[in-house]
PDB file of all heavy atoms in Angstrom:
ATOM      1  N   VAL A  20       7.031   9.150   0.335  1.00  0.00           N
ATOM      2  CA  VAL A  20       6.597   9.658   1.641  1.00  0.00           C
ATOM      3  C   VAL A  20       7.347   8.873   2.720  1.00  0.00           C
ATOM      4  O   VAL A  20       7.152   7.670   2.884  1.00  0.00           O
ATOM      5  CB  VAL A  20       5.073   9.507   1.819  1.00  0.00           C
ATOM      6  CG1 VAL A  20       4.645  10.053   3.175  1.00  0.00           C
ATOM      7  CG2 VAL A  20       4.338  10.225   0.693  1.00  0.00           C
ATOM      8  N   LEU A  21       8.193   9.576   3.455  1.00  0.00           N
ATOM      9  CA  LEU A  21       9.010   8.913   4.473  1.00  0.00           C
ATOM     10  C   LEU A  21       8.207   8.611   5.738  1.00  0.00           C
ATOM     11  O   LEU A  21       8.391   7.557   6.354  1.00  0.00           O
ATOM     12  CB  LEU A  21      10.213   9.790   4.820  1.00  0.00           C
ATOM     13  CG  LEU A  21      11.153  10.115   3.653  1.00  0.00           C
ATOM     14  CD1 LEU A  21      12.256  11.066   4.108  1.00  0.00           C
ATOM     15  CD2 LEU A  21      11.738   8.836   3.058  1.00  0.00           C
ATOM     16  N   SER A  22       7.343   9.533   6.114  1.00  0.00           N
ATOM     17  CA  SER A  22       6.501   9.325   7.292  1.00  0.00           C
ATOM     18  C   SER A  22       5.324  10.275   7.226  1.00  0.00           C
ATOM     19  O   SER A  22       5.408  11.342   6.630  1.00  0.00           O
ATOM     20  CB  SER A  22       7.293   9.555   8.593  1.00  0.00           C
ATOM     21  OG  SER A  22       7.718  10.897   8.687  1.00  0.00           O
ATOM     22  N   PHE A  23       4.216   9.869   7.853  1.00  0.00           N
ATOM     23  CA  PHE A  23       3.075  10.763   7.965  1.00  0.00           C
ATOM     24  C   PHE A  23       2.199  10.338   9.143  1.00  0.00           C
ATOM     25  O   PHE A  23       2.234   9.191   9.582  1.00  0.00           O
ATOM     26  CB  PHE A  23       2.248  10.791   6.669  1.00  0.00           C
ATOM     27  CG  PHE A  23       1.446   9.541   6.404  1.00  0.00           C
ATOM     28  CD1 PHE A  23       0.157   9.396   6.908  1.00  0.00           C
ATOM     29  CD2 PHE A  23       1.985   8.511   5.636  1.00  0.00           C
ATOM     30  CE1 PHE A  23      -0.576   8.243   6.656  1.00  0.00           C
ATOM     31  CE2 PHE A  23       1.258   7.358   5.385  1.00  0.00           C
ATOM     32  CZ  PHE A  23      -0.034   7.221   5.896  1.00  0.00           C
ATOM     33  N   SER A 288      -1.083   6.198  10.229  1.00  0.00           N
ATOM     34  CA  SER A 288       0.330   6.568  10.296  1.00  0.00           C
ATOM     35  C   SER A 288       1.106   5.732   9.298  1.00  0.00           C
ATOM     36  O   SER A 288       0.746   4.589   8.993  1.00  0.00           O
ATOM     37  CB  SER A 288       0.889   6.358  11.706  1.00  0.00           C
ATOM     38  OG  SER A 288       0.777   4.996  12.094  1.00  0.00           O
ATOM     39  N   GLY A 289       2.167   6.329   8.779  1.00  0.00           N
ATOM     40  CA  GLY A 289       2.982   5.617   7.812  1.00  0.00           C
ATOM     41  C   GLY A 289       4.456   5.897   8.025  1.00  0.00           C
ATOM     42  O   GLY A 289       4.836   6.996   8.433  1.00  0.00           O
ATOM     43  N   SER A 290       5.274   4.898   7.755  1.00  0.00           N
ATOM     44  CA  SER A 290       6.731   5.024   7.871  1.00  0.00           C
ATOM     45  C   SER A 290       7.349   3.905   7.049  1.00  0.00           C
ATOM     46  O   SER A 290       6.650   3.183   6.328  1.00  0.00           O
ATOM     47  CB  SER A 290       7.179   4.928   9.326  1.00  0.00           C
ATOM     48  OG  SER A 290       6.964   3.611   9.821  1.00  0.00           O
ATOM     49  N   SER A 291       8.648   3.734   7.173  1.00  0.00           N
ATOM     50  CA  SER A 291       9.320   2.656   6.462  1.00  0.00           C
ATOM     51  C   SER A 291       8.815   1.288   6.899  1.00  0.00           C
ATOM     52  O   SER A 291       8.976   0.295   6.184  1.00  0.00           O
ATOM     53  CB  SER A 291      10.833   2.747   6.678  1.00  0.00           C
ATOM     54  OG  SER A 291      11.139   2.667   8.066  1.00  0.00           O
ATOM     55  N   ALA A 292       8.188   1.233   8.075  1.00  0.00           N
ATOM     56  CA  ALA A 292       7.660  -0.029   8.585  1.00  0.00           C
ATOM     57  C   ALA A 292       6.299  -0.376   7.989  1.00  0.00           C
ATOM     58  O   ALA A 292       5.790  -1.480   8.208  1.00  0.00           O
ATOM     59  CB  ALA A 292       7.567   0.011  10.115  1.00  0.00           C
ATOM     60  N   GLY A 293       5.697   0.569   7.267  1.00  0.00           N
ATOM     61  CA  GLY A 293       4.394   0.316   6.672  1.00  0.00           C
ATOM     62  C   GLY A 293       3.341   1.291   7.150  1.00  0.00           C
ATOM     63  O   GLY A 293       3.634   2.274   7.851  1.00  0.00           O
ATOM     64  N   ILE A 294       2.115   1.025   6.784  1.00  0.00           N
ATOM     65  CA  ILE A 294       0.979   1.884   7.130  1.00  0.00           C
ATOM     66  C   ILE A 294       0.113   1.183   8.166  1.00  0.00           C
ATOM     67  O   ILE A 294      -0.189  -0.010   8.045  1.00  0.00           O
ATOM     68  CB  ILE A 294       0.153   2.225   5.878  1.00  0.00           C
ATOM     69  CG1 ILE A 294       0.978   3.125   4.941  1.00  0.00           C
ATOM     70  CG2 ILE A 294      -1.167   2.901   6.237  1.00  0.00           C
ATOM     71  CD1 ILE A 294       0.339   3.384   3.608  1.00  0.00           C
TER      72      ILE A 294
END
Side-chain angles (χ1 to χ4, degrees):
V20 181
L21 300 176
S22 64
F23 72 88
S288 60
S290 68
S291 59
I294 292 173

